[in-house]
């Protein structure tokens, strides 16, 4: 593994708290996002979007004036719809037309594309398009989607479900011995991911190269390239996708967009650049597309709190279409495989349905199904603990997989690579001052009551081929590649196929290169997000970049290091294995030659090269795969103290502790940033964010005045404590951490609220925890007591 | 989310603004409510007349009984004490709690009242303080009590060609006490429930007002009984708001209780 502890000694490698290199341009407002791009001759695109959730389209009338700049599906000759079918048995297939064809299936579905010199004019034009709709009854409640009288969204199906699946691992036998059986119903809300920057793209056709370039705010340029070429009938060599600066992804930009296909076709047809920038209203009304789950869950436990078995029926509201590449089955399949969390159990049964409804198609949001299953599992554990009179920590101590069991294969065959889950709990208990909190709780009688809650979970990151190929979806991650290239002036170019949109990869990957070959991270340039420049990658998703791109960069940099050593050894009259790369120099004892000199020698003074020089030069592309492709398992314990105002149902977060094990941290500040940012989103899920739909499928919020995102003043003082158990399967022991912060908060906060309310006989089981829900729970508790 | 095309008239004198209004233009001041509505195309005026800098609407004048604040005075100017506060601080405190600073820098007192969002601060505070709206209309000036000025959610007595030019806030008596409490889940959000309590013995005023009701503020008929402790806020709210959910009643009652506690110095 290259240089070993270079980073520790130089303060710039793996483990260093380096300031983020990209922040200089972001903080000065010098990033370049889609909305900053203006190309000569560019037209802006606005969409006529469906105002109805479910309707047949009898006809579309273009305006007499400007109608030539309005395009419907009938105009888009030769364009295929988007198909993302799973190979799982029983999966019902569907195709999403890139503009509505005959029917609309959710509010906000694009019906026609309108082009004009600027966005305001394009919106003016869109207003003049008349669509003759025949409204159909809508499916708005996932629990009723499969009813016999429910209207069918996809009329060739026999029921409104993409997939139904069942897992049963020794359930009956394990449940038989239970001393307590606790049943609960849990619901999570449909959310908008709300990145600061919405989606956006500029499509450009190059007649000379016969190439379509789409600049797109995407997390996965290479996957989008494949999808675009497929839909437009182009060779993949004719398609280039470029992701510029991207203002947050979170899964929202891990998708092939209908808008990309439409813009690509129009750019080719009209030979003019076409831009579309999603606005907040489009985002809110047409893209509330994540998190909505329903659980009927039963826990079976022994008298001491041993978890014997869990039985669950879960529904995921997957919306109207199956999205590319993840498909409509990802989230429900995850529910069935990760519900057991970090706990041991003897039996497990889980039936899931990915149902289709007249809502935007579901996308995997940061944490994907984990936020929901963590909520369900952790609330169930607390309910069992309350029934048995156990403190919340005891039931977790009793059931957590322990350090001496690692590596551990759990009941659903997940391979936990390393860690000490109980220690995370104990550290959180200490940091939150559990004894102090419990003492303050004694004899509480006022309007405000405090409660303490916990959640524990593990996060599978960088999962690979063996996890994905079984689903038969359009994308299966394999090897990850990177190119490391020394420039003639001794700088280092890294080329990776993932994309950084807030993760700090321009910094962390430079640190990894430094770790391997001692080059100053300030001299490292990351080239990413462009299919023309970078090796193929499935992109940035699933907490995979630190492990996969990091591993690939480490491997490529090490290969480059060998070539540098060979040249340096010749210049220093030494053997290559004697050369140490450190601090920008190749050194043998007290003799040294700079990396710049090595580069100059290769590129400009080849007469000085040794006869046995590696002719491939100072550029290495290497591939990487983890030791096992079952994923790294980071994990965390969240602990929170809340105050609940019994008169208002208002929940205030008083203290928050996260104990996180990211394995080896490449840059602890970036890990903290990831956890802190995720926490803010998790608090939104727990307390505020909810897109409600009425019975006709209309979204009930269209601005941020109605859809409540967490703001700075909602985020409590938070302490993030780290454990660093190296992963045995990754290059530096690092684990994927990107989603963790968003997973734990709803469970921990709801458990804390329930802890506060328990003496009053009240319990909340649905998020977000609005005042109305808390007050209703209190009223039900009061009624039950009377 | 771009507005439909409109004409924009700025820098005019009040007389010009009035003739533009008479011709169907819509007034624009701080643009904190109108702006989003324009962008959402919920408001589609053909012509906007910018009144934010009209001297008459920026004027502050003391009267025999109170203070007349020009309608284009911003929340921030009140918050920062750049204009006098006849209540000795109640206005400043209310202003400081409006939305967040960026909104307060531009948003105006008159704009907020004319917009008449049921959950807005000035809508309930000015009703609670018995302020008067000074309206300049086609048939001259008139004064309307704030409780009559707002007629419903986002509705006022302002008619075609009318312009809200000033708000007169009465100076309370020396022993007057005041409470204003609102429940916002998040800083910057509109209130889910709000209430004011004004007890002014010198003027024989006992006034409880509920806000954020989805309608104009409600002046409680039983205000005096509530203030004197003969009727609990909870019962008063329940009587005054038939048909509301128990959760909503709980929030409104709590707002009134807490405003009352403030007025009582608790």
């Amino acid at each position: 593994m290259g240089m070993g502890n270079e980073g520790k000694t130089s303060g710039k490698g793996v483990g260093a708290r380096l300031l983020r290199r990209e922040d200089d341009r972001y903080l000065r407002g010098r990033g370049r996002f889609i909305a900053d791009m203006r190309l000569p001759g560019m037209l802006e695109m606005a969409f006529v979007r469906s105002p109805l959730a479910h309707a047949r389209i009898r006809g579309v009338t273009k305006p007499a004036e400007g109608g030539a700049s309005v395009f419907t599906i009938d105009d888009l000759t030769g364009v295929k719809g988007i198909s993302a079918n799973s190979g799982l048995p029983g999966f019902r297939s569907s195709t999403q037309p890139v503009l509505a064809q005959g029917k609309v299936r959710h509010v906000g579905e694009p019906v026609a594309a309108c082009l004009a010199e600027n966005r305001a004019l394009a919106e003016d034009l869109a207003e003049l398009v008349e669509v003759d709709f025949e409204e159909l009854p809508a499916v708005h409640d996932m629990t009723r989607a499969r009813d016999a009288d429910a209207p069918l969204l996809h009329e060739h199906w026999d029921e409104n479900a993409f997939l139904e699946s069942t897992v049963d691992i020794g359930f009956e036998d394990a449940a038989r011995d239970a001393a307590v059986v606790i049943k609960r119903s849990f619901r999570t809300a449909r959310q908008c991911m709300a990145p600061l920057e919405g989606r956006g793209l500029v499509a450009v056709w190059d007649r000379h190269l016969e190439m379509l370039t789409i600049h797109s705010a995407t997390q996965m340029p290479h996957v989008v390239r494949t999808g675009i070429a497929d839909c437009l009938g182009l060779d993949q060599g004719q398609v280039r996708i470029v992701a510029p600066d991207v203002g947050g992804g979170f899964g929202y930009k891990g998708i092939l967009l209908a808008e990309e296909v439409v813009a690509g076709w129009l750019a080719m047809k009209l030979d003019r650049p076409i831009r579309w920038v999603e606005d907040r209203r489009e985002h809110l009304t047409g893209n509330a597309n994540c998190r909505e789950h329903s659980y009927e869950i039963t826990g079976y436990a022994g008298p001491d709190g041993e978890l014997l078995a869990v039985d669950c029926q879960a529904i995921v509201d997957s919306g109207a279409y199956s999205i590319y590449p993840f498909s409509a089955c990802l989230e429900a399949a995850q529910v069935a495989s990760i519900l057991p969390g970090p706990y041991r159990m003897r039996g497990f049964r889980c039936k899931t349905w990915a149902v289709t409804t007249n809502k935007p198609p579901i996308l995997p949001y940061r944490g994907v199904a984990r936020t929901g299953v963590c909520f369900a599992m952790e609330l169930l554990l607390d309910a069992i603990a309350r029934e048995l009179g156990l403190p919340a920590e005891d039931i977790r101590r009793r059931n957590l997989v322990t350090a001496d069991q690692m590596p551990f294969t759990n009941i659903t065959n997940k391979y936990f690579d390393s860690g000490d889950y109980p220690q995370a709990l104990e550290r959180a208990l200490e940091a939150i001052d559990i004894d102090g909190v419990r003492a303050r709780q004694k004899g509480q009688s006022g309007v405000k009551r405090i409660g303490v809650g916990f959640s524990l979970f593990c996060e599978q990151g960088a999962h690979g081929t063996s996890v994905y190929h079984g689903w038969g979806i359009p994308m299966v991650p394999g090897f990850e590649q990177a190119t490391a290239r020394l420039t003639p002036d001794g700088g280092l170019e890294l080329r990776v196929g993932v994309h950084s949109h807030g993760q700090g990869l321009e910094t962390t990957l430079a640190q990894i290169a430094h770790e391997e070959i001692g080059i100053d991270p300030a001299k490292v340039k990351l080239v990413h997000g462009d299919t023309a420049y970078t090796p193929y990658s499935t992109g940035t998703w699933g907490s995979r970049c630190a492990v996969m791109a990091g591993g690939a960069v480490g491997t490529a940099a090490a290969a480059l290091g060998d070539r540098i050593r060979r040249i340096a050894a010749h210049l220093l009259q030494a053997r290559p294995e004697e050369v140490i790369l450190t601090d920008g120099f190749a050194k043998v004892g007290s003799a040294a030659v700079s990396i710049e000199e090595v580069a100059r020698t290769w590129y400009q003074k080849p007469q000085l090269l040794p006869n046995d020089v590696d002719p491939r030069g100072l550029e290495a592309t290497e591939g990487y795969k983890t030791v096992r492709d079952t994923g790294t398992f980071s994990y965390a314990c969240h602990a929170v103290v809340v105050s609940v105002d019994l008169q208002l149902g208002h929940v205030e977060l008083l203290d928050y502790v996260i104990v996180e094990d990211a394995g080896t941290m490449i840059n602890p500040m970036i890990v903290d940033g990831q956890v802190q940012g995720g926490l803010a989103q998790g608090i939104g899920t727990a307390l505020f964010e909810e897109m409600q739909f009425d019975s006709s499928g209309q979204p009930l919020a269209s601005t941020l005045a109605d859809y409540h995102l967490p703001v700075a003043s909602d985020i409590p003082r938070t302490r993030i404590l780290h454990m660093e158990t190296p992963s045995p399967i990754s290059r530096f022991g690092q684990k994927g951490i990107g989603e963790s912060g968003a997973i734990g908060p709803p469970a921990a906060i709801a458990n804390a609220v329930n802890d506060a309310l328990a003496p009053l006989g009240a319990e909340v089981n649905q998020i977000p925890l609005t005042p109305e829900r808390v007050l209703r729970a209190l009223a039900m508790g009061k009624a039950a007591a009377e | 989310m771009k507005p439909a095309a409109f004409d924009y008239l700025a820098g005019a004198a009040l007389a010009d603004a009035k003739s533009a209004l008479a011709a169907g233009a819509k007034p624009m001041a701080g643009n904190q409510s109108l702006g989003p509505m324009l962008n959402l195309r919920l408001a589609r005026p053909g012509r906007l007349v910018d009144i934010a800098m009209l001297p008459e609407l920026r004027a502050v004048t003391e009267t025999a009984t109170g203070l007349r604040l020009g309608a284009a005075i911003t929340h921030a100017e009140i918050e920062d004490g750049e204009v006098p506060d006849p209540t000795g601080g109640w206005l400043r405190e209310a202003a400081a709690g409006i939305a967040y600073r960026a909104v307060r820098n531009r948003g105006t007192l008159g704009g907020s009242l004319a917009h008449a969002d049921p959950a807005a601060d000035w809508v309930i505070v000015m009703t609670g303080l018995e302020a008067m709206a000074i309206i300049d209309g086609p048939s001259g000036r008139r004064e309307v009590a704030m409780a009559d000025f707002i007629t419903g959610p986002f509705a006022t007595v302002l008619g075609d060609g009318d312009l809200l030019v000033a708000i007169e806030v009465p100076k309370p008596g020396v022993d007057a006490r005041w409470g204003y409490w609102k429940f916002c889940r998040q800083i910057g959000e509109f209130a889910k429930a709000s209430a004011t309590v004004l007890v002014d013995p010198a003027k024989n005023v006992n006034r409880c007002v509920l806000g954020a009701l989805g309608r104009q503020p409600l002046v409680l008929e039983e205000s005096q009984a509530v203030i004197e402790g003969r009727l609990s806020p909870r019962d008063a709210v329940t009587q005054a708001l038939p048909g509301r959910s128990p959760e909503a009643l709980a929030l409104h009652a709590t707002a009134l209780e807490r405003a009352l506690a403030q007025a009582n110095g608790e």
Side-chain angles (χ1 to χ4, degrees):
Chain A
M1 198 198 291
M3 291 303 302
N5 63 357
E6 171 71 22
K8 296 278 191 295
T9 53
S10 70
K12 294 177 181 173
V14 170
R17 303 175 65 87
L18 219 58
L19 289 176
R20 300 201 328 166
R21 301 188 54 201
E22 45 270 73
D23 284 346
D24 185 72
R25 79 173 178 278
Y26 289 140
L27 295 176
R28 294 177 201 276
R30 290 177 184 160
R32 185 169 184 255
F33 300 86
I34 292 291
D36 297 315
M37 296 179 67
R38 282 181 203 289
L39 302 183
M42 187 173 83
L43 294 171
E44 294 275 358
M45 178 165 65
F47 287 94
V48 176
R49 292 183 181 273
S50 175
L52 300 175
H54 199 192
R56 244 179 270 290
I57 298 176
R58 293 200 195 100
V60 179
T61 308
K62 298 177 185 178
E65 194 177 334
S69 297
V70 176
F71 300 86
T72 67
I73 192 70
D74 294 336
D75 299 311
L76 269 56
T77 49
V79 176
K80 274 166 60 183
I82 297 171
S83 290
N85 294 317
S86 160
L88 290 172
F91 186 87
R92 293 182 179 86
S93 67
S94 63
T95 298
Q96 175 186 4
V98 296
L99 291 171
Q101 192 161 26
K103 204 176 169 184
V104 288
R105 295 182 178 85
H106 67 90
V107 171
E109 182 167 351
V111 177
C114 302
L115 300 177
E117 297 296 325
N118 63 49
R119 177 64 180 252
L121 292 173
E123 290 184 20
D124 288 350
L125 184 57
E127 282 189 335
L128 299 175
V129 177
E130 287 176 23
V131 185
D132 184 8
F133 289 110
E134 175 192 345
E135 188 166 10
L136 300 169
V139 180
H140 77 287
D141 179 351
M142 63 177 150
T143 65
R144 308 286 308 278
R146 296 171 50 253
D147 287 0
D149 59 349
L152 288 173
L153 269 81
H154 301 281
E155 287 158 20
H156 60 291
W157 293 6
D158 53 348
E159 70 171 24
N160 286 320
F162 289 102
L163 187 68
E164 171 181 329
S165 64
T166 305
V167 171
D168 187 341
I169 303 151
F171 169 73
E172 292 288 350
D173 286 347
R176 198 170 298 131
D177 305 330
V180 292
V181 178
I182 299 289
K183 187 174 187 339
R184 288 290 184 278
S185 301
F186 297 119
R187 282 289 284 262
T188 61
R190 184 164 273 256
Q191 288 181 234
C192 298
M193 294 190 217
L196 271 180
E197 180 208 29
R199 291 167 174 165
L201 59 94
V202 183
V204 188
W205 174 247
D206 184 322
R207 286 200 306 269
H208 161 62
L209 293 173
E210 293 190 341
M211 179 179 279
L212 175 67
T213 298
I214 301 183
H215 305 266
S216 180
T218 181
Q219 299 173 221
M220 35 178 58
H222 293 273
V223 171
V224 169
R225 179 195 201 191
T226 301
I228 289 283
D230 188 35
C231 287
L232 293 179
L234 297 171
D235 296 338
Q236 292 200 29
Q238 290 181 285
V239 179
R240 175 184 174 199
I241 307 294
V242 186
D245 278 323
V246 173
F250 314 117
Y252 189 62
K253 298 166 183 173
I255 181 175
L256 168 66
L257 293 171
E259 289 90 345
E260 286 167 332
V261 178
V262 173
W265 188 89
L266 288 170
M268 290 165 59
K269 178 81 179 170
L270 305 176
D271 195 16
R272 288 184 74 174
I274 306 290
R275 182 167 79 165
W276 169 68
V277 178
E278 180 190 49
D279 68 29
R280 197 57 66 179
R281 191 186 203 188
E282 286 179 295
H283 179 71
L284 289 166
T285 55
N287 281 304
N289 56 13
C290 59
R291 286 278 190 266
E292 195 175 8
H293 297 188
S294 161
Y295 298 86
E296 300 290 329
I297 187 168
T298 311
Y300 298 78
D304 58 350
E306 183 193 359
L307 194 58
L308 301 174
V310 170
D311 187 21
C312 180
Q313 300 199 326
I315 305 171
V316 172
D317 186 332
S318 298
Y321 296 106
S322 182
I323 56 99
Y324 184 103
F326 286 111
S327 91
C329 77
L330 174 77
E331 191 128 341
Q334 259 203 0
V335 169
S337 68
I338 64 178
L339 183 61
Y343 301 105
R344 286 169 281 129
M345 60 189 68
R346 297 185 208 165
F348 177 64
R349 186 168 69 187
C350 186
K351 189 160 189 173
T352 60
W353 291 269
V355 302
T356 185
T357 62
N358 291 108
K359 296 181 188 174
I362 197 165
L363 266 175
Y365 177 33
R366 197 175 197 176
V368 198
R370 279 185 181 77
T371 305
V373 300
C374 177
F375 178 72
M377 192 66 195
E378 293 294 311
L379 265 68
L380 177 69
L381 279 180
D382 270 22
I384 296 170
R386 278 195 295 277
E387 177 72 18
L388 290 170
L390 293 173
E393 58 272 28
D394 280 7
I395 194 165
R396 290 174 174 79
R397 284 176 179 134
R398 180 75 186 76
N399 294 295
L400 281 170
V401 172
T402 59
D404 59 6
Q405 292 171 322
M406 291 291 179
F408 182 83
T409 302
N410 87 341
I411 191 158
T412 54
N413 210 28
K414 294 285 175 188
Y415 179 85
F416 300 165
D417 54 345
S418 66
D420 188 341
Y421 301 171
Q423 194 189 140
L425 172 63
E426 300 304 329
R427 288 196 190 186
L429 286 163
E430 189 188 341
I432 204 78
D433 184 20
I434 186 67
D435 295 338
V437 175
R438 294 259 160 81
R440 284 161 63 201
Q441 284 183 295
K442 289 229 168 66
Q444 288 191 102
S445 61
V447 167
K448 291 188 178 181
R449 304 288 171 88
I450 63 167
V452 59
F454 303 91
S455 65
L456 274 143
F457 56 91
C458 41
E459 178 195 357
Q460 188 179 17
H463 30 340
T465 314
S466 66
V467 180
Y468 267 76
H469 80 86
W471 296 354
I473 63 174
M475 179 201 78
V476 179
F479 284 86
E480 190 76 17
Q481 291 172 305
T483 301
R485 175 158 80 172
L486 223 49
T487 55
D489 59 353
L492 178 67
E493 256 179 33
L494 297 176
R495 296 171 179 239
V496 293
V498 298
H499 188 255
S500 182
H501 32 270
Q503 293 85 349
L505 292 178
E506 292 173 49
T507 306
T508 47
L509 295 182
Q511 288 179 252
I512 285 173
H514 174 82
E515 184 75 22
E516 295 286 353
I517 59 173
I519 193 165
D520 189 342
K523 300 189 76 169
V524 179
K525 169 79 183 159
L526 184 69
V527 178
H528 60 141
D530 188 332
T531 57
Y533 286 134
T534 63
Y536 183 88
S537 168
T538 55
T540 298
W541 56 274
S543 295
R544 65 190 300 279
C545 290
V547 173
M548 297 305 295
V553 163
T555 309
L560 178 64
D562 287 343
R563 299 185 197 175
I564 294 171
R565 275 192 205 91
R566 185 91 64 94
I567 297 170
H570 180 68
L571 297 176
L572 295 169
Q573 299 298 303
R575 293 194 308 276
E577 56 272 24
E578 292 175 317
V579 177
I580 290 171
L581 300 178
T582 181
D583 200 21
F585 287 88
K587 294 183 181 172
V588 177
S590 59
V593 59
S594 68
I595 299 237
E596 287 94 320
E597 191 54 39
V598 173
R600 241 188 323 270
T601 304
W602 167 262
Y603 289 105
Q604 293 168 331
K605 303 181 203 167
Q607 68 274 20
L608 300 182
L609 292 169
N611 290 330
D612 64 344
V613 70
D614 188 329
R616 290 171 299 174
L618 295 176
E619 174 171 344
T621 299
E622 291 292 332
Y624 174 76
K625 205 167 184 174
T626 47
V627 175
R628 303 170 50 102
D629 64 7
T630 47
T632 58
F633 279 77
S634 63
Y635 57 96
C637 180
H638 287 216
V640 59
V641 179
V642 303
S643 163
V644 184
D645 185 318
L646 302 182
Q647 292 180 336
L648 296 170
H650 182 60
V651 177
E652 188 182 354
L653 308 181
L654 302 179
D655 192 15
Y656 210 111
V657 169
I658 297 174
V659 180
E660 180 76 55
D661 191 338
T664 305
M665 289 188 284
I666 295 165
N667 183 328
M669 286 200 295
I670 285 178
V671 174
D672 282 349
Q674 283 279 17
V675 174
Q676 184 78 45
L679 168 67
Q681 291 175 310
I683 287 172
T685 302
L687 296 180
F688 304 114
E689 294 186 50
E690 177 171 30
M691 181 62 79
Q692 293 181 314
F693 289 77
D694 71 12
S695 60
S696 65
Q698 286 291 330
L700 297 184
S702 59
T703 74
L704 292 176
D706 303 311
Y707 184 86
H708 295 275
L709 291 169
V711 299
S713 49
D714 299 316
I715 311 304
R717 189 176 68 96
T718 305
R719 283 160 289 149
I720 302 169
L721 310 177
H722 296 287
M723 297 165 64
E724 275 195 271
T725 314
S727 170
I729 71 166
S730 65
R731 186 171 176 91
F732 302 98
Q734 76 274 39
K735 297 181 174 187
I737 188 70
E739 300 163 79
S740 169
I743 297 169
I749 293 168
N751 275 339
V753 169
N754 284 339
D755 184 52
L757 302 187
L760 303 165
E763 187 180 289
V764 289
N765 291 315
Q766 183 172 359
I767 45 176
L769 301 171
T770 59
E772 289 79 6
R773 288 197 177 109
V774 174
L775 290 172
R776 269 199 294 277
L778 281 163
M780 283 173 66
K782 198 172 169 192
E786 286 161 1
Chain B
M1 250 173 62
K2 303 290 181 195
F6 57 84
D7 291 331
Y8 173 75
L9 177 67
L14 179 60
D16 299 329
K18 280 179 64 182
S19 55
L21 293 174
K26 192 165 172 62
M28 180 184 92
N31 216 22
Q32 298 305 291
S33 300
L34 181 60
M37 289 170 67
L38 290 172
N39 285 340
L40 293 166
R41 300 194 175 199
L42 295 172
R44 313 180 62 123
R47 195 173 196 208
L48 281 177
V49 53
D50 194 331
I51 56 169
M53 300 309 287
L54 293 181
E56 292 88 343
L57 272 67
R58 302 275 307 144
V60 179
T61 45
E62 294 207 32
T63 65
T65 53
L67 185 79
R68 195 166 279 206
L69 289 165
I73 299 294
T74 65
H75 313 316
E77 286 170 320
I78 297 172
E79 175 187 12
D80 296 347
E82 289 180 23
V83 296
D85 182 346
T87 65
W90 303 342
L91 293 186
R92 285 185 70 171
E93 196 175 332
I98 295 172
Y100 39 89
R101 182 73 197 196
V103 171
R104 300 198 291 272
N105 283 339
R106 296 188 68 89
T108 65
L109 172 61
S112 172
L113 290 168
H115 182 57
D117 187 312
D121 292 82
W122 291 132
V123 165
I124 179 171
V125 166
M126 290 301 173
T127 304
L129 290 170
E130 297 193 288
M132 301 291 285
I134 318 296
I135 301 168
D136 197 338
S139 50
R141 295 219 166 190
R142 64 189 197 275
E143 300 189 4
V144 180
M146 198 53 66
D148 301 322
F149 175 77
I150 298 164
T151 56
F154 304 99
T156 67
V157 297
L158 291 170
D160 288 344
D162 278 343
L163 183 64
L164 176 64
V165 291
I167 294 87
E168 181 159 331
V169 182
K171 190 173 172 58
V174 283
D175 297 330
R177 295 176 282 125
W178 167 254
Y180 171 45
W181 199 87
K182 63 172 177 173
F183 174 41
C184 300
R185 293 189 69 200
Q186 297 179 281
I187 288 176
E189 291 303 324
F190 279 105
K192 289 179 77 73
S194 62
T196 62
V197 173
L198 176 64
V199 186
D200 193 341
K203 296 183 177 179
N204 197 26
V205 171
N206 291 285
R207 188 174 175 86
C208 300
V209 181
L210 302 180
L213 296 170
R215 44 155 285 175
Q216 67 271 48
L218 178 67
V219 183
L220 283 184
E221 279 180 32
E222 301 280 3
S223 288
Q224 189 159 356
V226 170
I227 287 165
E228 291 173 355
R230 290 181 282 110
L231 180 63
S232 78
R234 226 147 269 268
D235 289 343
V237 166
T238 306
Q239 286 170 23
L241 297 172
R244 303 254 171 173
S245 72
E247 297 81 33
L249 288 176
L251 299 185
H252 294 302
T254 303
L256 181 56
E257 279 173 5
R258 295 185 185 185
L260 186 61
Q262 267 184 18
N264 290 337
E266 290 163 9

